[in-house]
């Protein structure tokens, strides 16, 4: 139990007030309030704050007092006066009106009632002079509100009247105080993200504050009305987002800090002009010169002269080391200089000298957040809330830190509480939108973003967040509208160009993306996100000289975060791939062989985004561009559109768009659609040629086998060994008819076509269409393959619901429960068996409603493997997908599917795919060959779907397996004279449909309900020009992907 306030404390309080030492009086009141929380003490402290012109603190204390007693007239008077001085005249009048209504309806102090009448009348007449004086004298002389009641334990009636008259010396001190009405920049938001730069801030009026000068405070405290962030970009399954972003993936905690502050975006207009910070006479020496120096130091901070400000605070602290206000001032200056460790040291000392200084706790929390010390930051901000419960700006700040720390549920709680207390907080609303989006509350998230913009239609950060929100949900038209709004507000807002570049890139409009990214880089030339993305766009469209230049520029930048460092690592790998592609530019596309020509170790590090130091030491580097130019490998090719090319492009666009998922997170991509269509047509042409040969063999063998009309065929496997292991970039020079990834050219025998060859056709198209995606066969990686290289696709990551994949959560949970019941065990992360058959665990598992329930039953991180019933070997079950559950933090988890690719598993699926391919060839190349009878082709359709099922469960690529699987399915259907004319049903992801089916027949039964009715029997595809000869070279393929009628 807290000790009661002593009479000596009350006497000391009265003495301090009589001597006008308001700051020390406040310190005593801090102690009294922490012990008793008496309403009168809250009013007393508000009164003292009013004398120091700390108006926001007046409002906070009055609000707390009115929560306890809504009839307290003194609180209405003080709060209204503070609002009036802050320029919020209408709010002040409303508050006084509320107090007046209470006074009329009950027994009230007539002096206070008359004072309220006078205040209201004066305010209505627009007499600002009285409102101004109320800051110094919140009531007429000798009224109740002009005195400070010294109440012992909150109960005693002992009252000490402190008259508001000044002696000569007091007048002098008052003058000194007047001179120190200094506006202090808000350092409330140490930028926790790494999207903006100093150059941005100048041109964009700072990222978190979009109009006019930075906001100021009525105290030295930070009022965080805005904080910069960018959700991770388009890979939100990782994005964070992102963010953004970013997404947001994606969207991680930065190991390297961004030691920046951004200014709050609080109130506009009069409020901005009238906010003041008054330095009271608070030093032990009662020296006016000390007060003046403190004021001067604060003024220097406001003017950006941080070094000079620090020297002033040093002088003050030399004489009085225990001066909390000077420590906080110097800490603020350090923070603006990005010296956060020094700032934290000063804030810590301020806390040691005055543990009740809530503002010091808050500021240290903000500084720690800027350093990425989120746990400690949240602790400090929580402590600050103990001193100032239900304080909107602290809730806002802690909400943002919780968001950065990916504690999204806590962020939603804090920010929701904040906007209830401060309904006009635009930053809180947009961050609430970000947090709600992260936990899958998309409708509420959109409402929060729009509310922020309703309050301030020029709030650029809110527009940026809403843009990323729409892009993450695959709503490109709405995202474009938001970007257009941003550029109408500020045509030089670099982030808007970056976001539009991201959007165009994600939609396959690389040349448009280059224009926007170039514009963004003209504003902020050191933005590595823009630089890397522009390089990748140049790379994709075949402008390798420009791509290499941008990759080199990205590698030369000095960075300040781990996320950006990852981009630098990728820039190294991408540059090498660009140089490799340039060396193949004028060669036949069939010899473009990333899997065979690029060193396995290089690909391993590329896929895993690892530091390239080891690669540089052990792997042969690509030849420079000048060598490719000298050898004639990179001659510019003019893409002339011919009738044949036009026909193929038109057909490919129509066929390829069928791969599009109609699900949140999957943006339509014109470039990928064209790639898919061209790949499907080439597959159909090459498979048709192989089937024609096989049918001829079947007819020949059938003549000599009248019993059953079947022939014995020997499966021929091509040599899958790389033709060249001389290092990255060494061209394949063998005269063999196959390249290392099994791709056949027109010189090869059609009978050499295997399942691997068929899928490799699609893989090669996928690799060239978006070269910055590391799409490679997993068995072509380094020896690490023996330990298993696994894909990782999360549905829940921490507390975030991954927008693309969370729709599969419920079904995955049910499959996990089914497998656990069937197997009665799972495996730990060290692969030890965890038995579930005892203590009623299986029954608890079957009643589990969430992955958290499963974790509670198992008690540790675990994984389980689904199975795939084999068609090739009766009774055999292949290892399907691993469903993993790993605890993340106190409240989060990583609930994902992971597909390991070990040699043993690879061999099992290779045999299954070989048998599936043979079954398909048998189904079509016999009596059904060339048939246009839909019913006769049923076995062919089913065989194609079964092979697709095993491919999706195999997942043999580092990425891109979903697209490749569907492209091959379209090509095989086309080869069998069946064209898919419909679209994939809304909300359905075909790869997940296969992964979550334990038997191929259940997958076939599910898919054929929507696929088969949309199949049209046709042979018109046979009239298409040959893909391999029409687009013979790598350069012509790149040009075809780039060509647009726009």
């Amino acid at each position: 139990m807290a000790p009661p306030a002593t009479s000596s404390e009350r006497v000391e309080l009265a003495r301090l007030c009589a001597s006008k030492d308001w700051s020390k009086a406040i310190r005593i009141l801090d102690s009294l309030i922490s012990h008793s929380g008496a309403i009168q003490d809250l009013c007393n402290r508000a009164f003292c704050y009013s004398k120091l012109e700390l108006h926001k603190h007046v409002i906070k204390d009055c609000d707390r007092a009115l929560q306890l007693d809504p009839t307290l007239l003194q609180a209405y008077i003080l709060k209204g006066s503070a609002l009036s001085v802050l320029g919020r005249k209408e709010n002040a009048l409303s508050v006084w009106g509320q107090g007046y209504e209470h006074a009329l309806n009950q027994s009230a102090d007539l002096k206070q009632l008359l004072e309220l009448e006078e205040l209201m009348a004066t305010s209505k007449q627009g007499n600002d002079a009285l409102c101004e004086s109320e800051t110094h004298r919140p009531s007429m002389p000798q009224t109740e509100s002009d005195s400070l009641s010294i109440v012992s334990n909150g109960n005693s009636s002992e009252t000490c009247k402190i008259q508001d008259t000044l002696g000569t010396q007091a007048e002098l001190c008052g003058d000194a105080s007047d001179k120190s009405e200094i506006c202090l920049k808000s350092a409330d938001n140490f930028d926790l993200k790494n999207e903006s730069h100093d150059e941005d801030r100048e041109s964009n009026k700072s990222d978190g504050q979009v109009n006019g000068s930075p906001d100021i405070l009525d105290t030295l405290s930070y009022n965080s009305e805005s904080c910069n962030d960018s959700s991770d970009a388009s890979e939100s399954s990782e994005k964070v987002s992102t963010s953004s972003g970013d997404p947001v993936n994606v969207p991680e905690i930065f190991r390297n800090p961004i030691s920046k502050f951004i200014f709050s975006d609080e109130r506009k207009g009069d409020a901005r002009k009238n906010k003041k910070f008054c330095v009271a006479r608070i030093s032990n020496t009662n020296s006016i010169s000390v007060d003046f120096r403190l004021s001067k130091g604060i003024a220097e901070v406001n003017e950006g002269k941080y070094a000079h400000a620090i020297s002033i605070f040093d002088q003050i602290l030399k004489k009085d080391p225990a001066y909390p206000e000077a420590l906080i001032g110097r800490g603020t200056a350090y923070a603006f200089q990005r010296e956060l460790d020094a700032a934290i040291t000063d804030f810590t000392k301020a806390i040691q000298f005055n543990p009740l200084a809530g503002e010091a706790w808050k500021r240290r929390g903000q500084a720690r957040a800027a350093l990425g010390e989120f746990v400690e930051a949240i602790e400090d901000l929580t402590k600050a809330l103990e001193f100032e419960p239900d304080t909107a700006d602290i809730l806002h700040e802690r909400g943002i830190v919780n968001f950065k720390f990916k504690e999204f549920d806590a962020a939603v709680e804090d920010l929701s509480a904040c906007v209830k207390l401060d309904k006009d907080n635009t930053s809180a609303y947009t961050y609430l939108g970000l947090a709600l989006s992260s936990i899958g509350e998309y409708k509420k998230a959109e409402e929060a973003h729009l509310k922020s913009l309703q309050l301030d239609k020029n709030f650029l950060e809110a527009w940026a967040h809403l843009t990323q929100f729409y892009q993450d949900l695959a709503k490109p038209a709405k995202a474009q509208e938001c970007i257009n709004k941003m550029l109408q507000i500020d045509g030089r807002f670099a982030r808007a160009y970056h976001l539009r570049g991201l959007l165009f890139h994600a939609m396959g409009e690389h040349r448009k993306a280059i224009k926007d990214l170039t514009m963004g880089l003209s504003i902020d030339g050191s933005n590595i996100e823009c630089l890397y993305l522009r390089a990748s766009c140049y790379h994709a469209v075949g402008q390798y000289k420009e791509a290499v230049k941008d990759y080199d520029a990205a590698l030369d930048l000095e960075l300040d975060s781990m996320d950006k460092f990852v981009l630098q690592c990728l820039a190294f790998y991408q540059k090498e791939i660009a140089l490799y592609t340039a060396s193949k530019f004028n060669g036949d596309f069939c010899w473009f062989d990333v899997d065979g020509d690029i060193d396995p170790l290089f690909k391993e590090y590329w896929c895993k985004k690892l530091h390239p130091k080891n690669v540089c030491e052990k792997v042969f580097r690509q030849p420079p561009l000048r060598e490719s130019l000298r050898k004639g490998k990179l001659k510019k090719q003019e893409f002339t559109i011919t009738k044949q090319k036009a026909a193929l492009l038109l057909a490919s666009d129509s066929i390829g768009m069928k791969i599009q998922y109609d699900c949140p997170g999957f943006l339509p991509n014109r470039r990928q659609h064209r790639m898919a269509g061209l790949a499907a047509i080439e597959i159909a042409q090459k498979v048709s040629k192989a089937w024609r040969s096989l049918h001829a063999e079947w007819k020949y063998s059938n003549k000599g086998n009248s019993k059953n009309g079947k022939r014995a065929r020997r499966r021929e496997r091509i040599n899958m060994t790389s033709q060249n292991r001389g290092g990255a970039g060494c061209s394949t020079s063998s005269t063999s008819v196959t390249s290392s990834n099994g791709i056949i050219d027109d010189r090869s025998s059609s009978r050499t076509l295997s399942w691997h060859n068929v899928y490799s056709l699609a893989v090669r198209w996928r690799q060239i269409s978006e070269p910055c995606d590391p799409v490679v066969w997993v068995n072509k990686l380094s020896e690490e393959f023996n330990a298993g290289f696994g894909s990782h696709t999360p549905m829940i990551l921490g507390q975030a619901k991954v927008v693309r994949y969370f729709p599969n959560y419920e079904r995955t949970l049910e499959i996990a429960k089914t497998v656990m019941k069937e197997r009665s065990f799972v495996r730990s992360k060290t692969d030890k068996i965890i038995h579930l058959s005892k203590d009623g665990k299986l029954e608890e598992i079957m009643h589990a409603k969430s992955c958290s329930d499963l974790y509670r039953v198992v008690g540790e991180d675990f994984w389980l493997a689904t199975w795939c019933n084999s068609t090739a070997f009766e009774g055999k079950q292949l290892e399907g997908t691993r469903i993993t559950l790993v605890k993340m933090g106190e409240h989060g988890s990583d609930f994902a599917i992971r597909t390991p690719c070990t040699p043993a598993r690879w061999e099992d699926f290779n045999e299954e795919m070989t048998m599936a391919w043979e079954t398909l060839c048998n189904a079509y190349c016999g009596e059904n060959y060339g048939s246009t009878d839909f019913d006769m082709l049923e076995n062919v359709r089913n065989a194609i779907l079964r092979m697709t099922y095993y491919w999706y469960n195999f997942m043999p690529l580092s990425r891109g397996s979903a697209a490749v699987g569907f492209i091959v399915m379209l090509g095989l259907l086309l080869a069998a004279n069946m064209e898919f004319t419909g679209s994939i049903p809304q909300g359905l992801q075909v790869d997940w449909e296969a992964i979550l089916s334990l038997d191929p027949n259940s997958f076939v039964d599910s898919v054929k309900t929507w696929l088969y009715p949309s199949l049209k029997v046709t042979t018109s595809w046979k009239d298409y020009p040959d893909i391999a000869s029409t687009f013979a070279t790598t350069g012509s393929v790149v040009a075809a992907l780039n060509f647009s009628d726009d």
Side-chain angles (χ1 to χ4, degrees), residues 735-914:
T735 57
S736 169
V737 297
T738 62
S739 63
S740 65
N741 60 8
I743 296 173
I744 62 170
D745 65 16
D746 289 336
R747 295 170 293 173
S748 63
S749 165
S750 56
R751 288 186 59 215
T752 63
L753 198 65
S754 67
W755 74 264
H756 194 279
N757 298 140
V758 175
Y759 281 91
S760 290
L761 288 168
V763 170
R764 183 179 55 175
W765 280 95
R766 178 67 179 81
Q767 288 169 334
I768 199 70
S769 66
E770 191 52 69
C772 288
D773 288 344
V775 178
V776 295
W777 290 90
V778 172
N779 69 327
K780 293 293 181 180
L781 298 177
S782 71
E783 287 72 15
E784 288 292 322
F785 169 65
N786 293 319
F789 179 97
S791 62
H792 174 224
T793 310
M795 292 157 281
I796 296 178
L797 197 58
Q799 295 177 10
K801 296 176 180 176
V802 179
V803 63
R804 282 189 171 191
Y805 306 119
F806 184 76
N808 303 293
Y809 167 78
E810 292 291 343
R811 188 172 172 192
T812 305
L813 184 66
E814 290 305 312
I815 291 292
K817 290 161 60 176
T818 299
V819 172
M820 294 168 86
K821 181 181 179 182
E822 179 74 18
R823 303 290 199 208
S824 296
F825 72 88
V826 293
R827 290 188 179 272
S828 71
K829 58 185 177 183
T830 57
D831 292 338
K832 293 181 179 178
I833 292 178
I834 303 173
H835 294 284
L836 304 171
S837 56
K838 297 180 180 179
D839 303 323
K841 288 186 176 181
L842 288 177
E843 184 177 353
E844 287 187 67
I845 286 168
M846 297 314 295
H847 287 94
K849 301 296 183 185
S850 67
C851 60
S852 299
D853 291 341
L854 288 183
Y855 194 94
R856 179 179 49 79
V857 175
V858 177
E860 61 180 288
D861 298 345
F862 69 90
W863 64 269
L864 57 91
T866 65
W867 61 81
C868 302
N869 290 329
S870 172
T871 302
F873 305 97
E874 186 175 353
K876 183 176 180 178
Q877 288 185 338
L878 309 178
E879 181 183 346
T881 295
R882 293 184 181 182
I883 300 173
T884 63
L885 182 56
V886 177
K887 190 173 180 61
M888 291 181 66
E890 189 175 347
H891 306 294
S893 58
D894 178 350
F895 187 56
I897 58 171
R898 298 173 187 257
T899 308
C901 286
T902 59
R905 186 178 183 274
W906 187 280
E907 185 59 32
D908 283 345
F909 271 97
N910 180 53
E911 291 181 352
E912 200 68 47
M913 290 294 291
T914 301

Side-chain angles (χ1 to χ4, degrees), residues 682-694 713-718 720 737-738 741-745 748-761 913-914 917-918 920-921 947 972 975:
E682 184 177 20
I683 288 168
Q685 290 173 342
K686 283 197 163 50
V687 168
S688 176
K689 183 180 177 182
W691 282 352
R692 190 183 312 123
S693 176
L694 291 174
R713 290 196 292 118
R714 178 176 60 87
R715 296 200 303 270
E716 292 190 11
R717 298 185 184 180
I718 63 171
M720 303 301 291
V737 297
T738 62
N741 60 8
I743 296 173
I744 62 170
D745 65 16
S748 63
S749 165
S750 56
R751 288 186 59 215
T752 63
L753 198 65
S754 67
W755 74 264
H756 194 279
N757 298 140
V758 175
Y759 281 91
S760 290
L761 288 168
M913 290 294 291
T914 301
W917 172 242
E918 184 172 334
L920 171 58
C921 292
M947 191 163 77
L972 293 174

Side-chain angles (χ1 to χ4, degrees), residues 234-271:
S234 59
E235 285 192 56
S236 52
S237 65
E238 292 180 5
K239 303 204 289 137
V240 10
S241 176
T242 265
S243 83
S244 151
D246 105 270
V248 228
N249 229 241
V250 106
E252 292 87 7
I253 297 170
F254 299 113
R255 294 177 177 87
N256 292 343
I258 302 292
S259 304
K260 289 192 295 188
F261 291 75
I262 67 172
F263 305 127
S264 62
D265 184 336
E266 198 191 53
R267 311 289 182 264
K268 310 297 187 287
D270 290 340

Side-chain angles (χ1 to χ4, degrees), residues 10 124 212 280 419 467 499 530 580 746 763 811-812 834 838 840 856 1012:
R10 298 288 174 184
K124 289 176 181 178
V419 296
T467 300
L499 286 170
C530 279
Y580 167 77
D746 289 336
V763 170
R811 188 172 172 192
T812 305
I834 303 173
K838 297 180 180 179
R856 179 179 49 79
Y1012 290 3

Side-chain angles (χ1 to χ4, degrees), residues 313-476:
F313 292 128
D314 285 342
Q315 293 174 27
I316 298 172
L317 291 166
K318 186 176 182 180
K319 294 184 177 180
D320 188 354
Y323 198 157
E325 286 73 17
L327 286 165
I328 293 172
R330 188 173 67 178
T332 302
Y334 279 137
F336 272 108
Q337 285 191 315
R338 293 130 170 102
E339 298 179 36
L340 291 183
D341 290 325
I344 289 171
T345 299
D346 274 354
F347 297 146
T348 301
K349 288 180 180 178
I351 290 169
Q352 290 170 351
F353 292 130
N354 183 11
L356 302 178
E359 293 164 13
W361 288 99
K362 184 175 79 170
R363 291 184 216 178
R364 190 175 71 175
Q366 293 157 348
R368 283 175 161 176
L371 283 173
E373 299 172 358
F374 294 113
V375 173
E376 294 84 356
I378 290 170
E379 289 175 355
D380 280 353
L381 293 168
T382 301
K383 187 70 174 179
L385 276 170
E386 291 179 13
F387 297 113
E388 299 182 69
D390 298 325
T391 302
D393 61 327
I394 304 179
L395 286 166
H396 174 221
E397 185 67 28
R398 191 175 68 176
I400 291 175
V401 176
N402 274 317
F403 174 79
K404 304 290 183 180
F405 195 39
K406 303 188 185 302
E407 292 284 344
F408 300 119
D409 293 328
V412 168
E413 183 179 348
D414 279 347
L415 294 166
S416 297
C418 173
V419 296
K420 285 181 181 178
L421 296 165
D422 184 359
K423 294 180 173 57
D424 296 329
N425 193 325
T426 56
S427 174
Y429 274 113
T430 193
Y431 268 92
L432 178 59
L434 291 173
L436 287 167
S437 177
S438 298
I439 62 173
E441 297 283 353
Y442 302 119
K443 185 177 180 181
K444 291 180 180 178
E446 184 179 28
E447 290 172 354
H449 285 307
L450 292 173
K451 178 64 176 178
S452 177
L453 291 166
Q454 179 186 335
L455 292 168
D456 182 1
K457 63 182 180 180
N458 293 326
F459 188 11
L460 284 170
E461 280 303 302
W463 283 114
H465 291 158
L466 188 57
T467 300
Q468 191 66 59
F469 171 79
Y470 285 135
Q471 182 170 335
D472 290 345
L473 291 183
K475 296 182 178 181

Side-chain angles (χ1 to χ4, degrees), residues 655 658-659 934 937-938 940-946 948-949 952 965-974 978-985 988 990 993 1003-1017:
I655 293 169
K658 308 304 180 186
I659 70 169
F934 187 76
L937 294 171
E938 181 177 5
V940 178
R941 295 191 297 273
N942 291 346
I944 291 172
L945 286 184
R946 284 195 183 91
T948 303
Y949 167 80
Y952 281 138
F966 203 83
I967 289 168
V968 172
M969 188 186 78
L970 292 177
L972 293 174
L973 287 169
L974 207 58
M978 291 175 284
E979 182 179 354
F980 178 46
T981 59
S983 57
I984 301 171
L988 188 139
V990 184
E993 194 69 22
F1003 171 74
V1004 172
D1005 291 341
S1006 171
V1007 172
K1008 71 181 184 181
T1009 58
W1010 55 267
L1011 179 67
Y1012 290 3
S1014 297
L1015 291 177
K1016 180 181 73 172
V1017 176

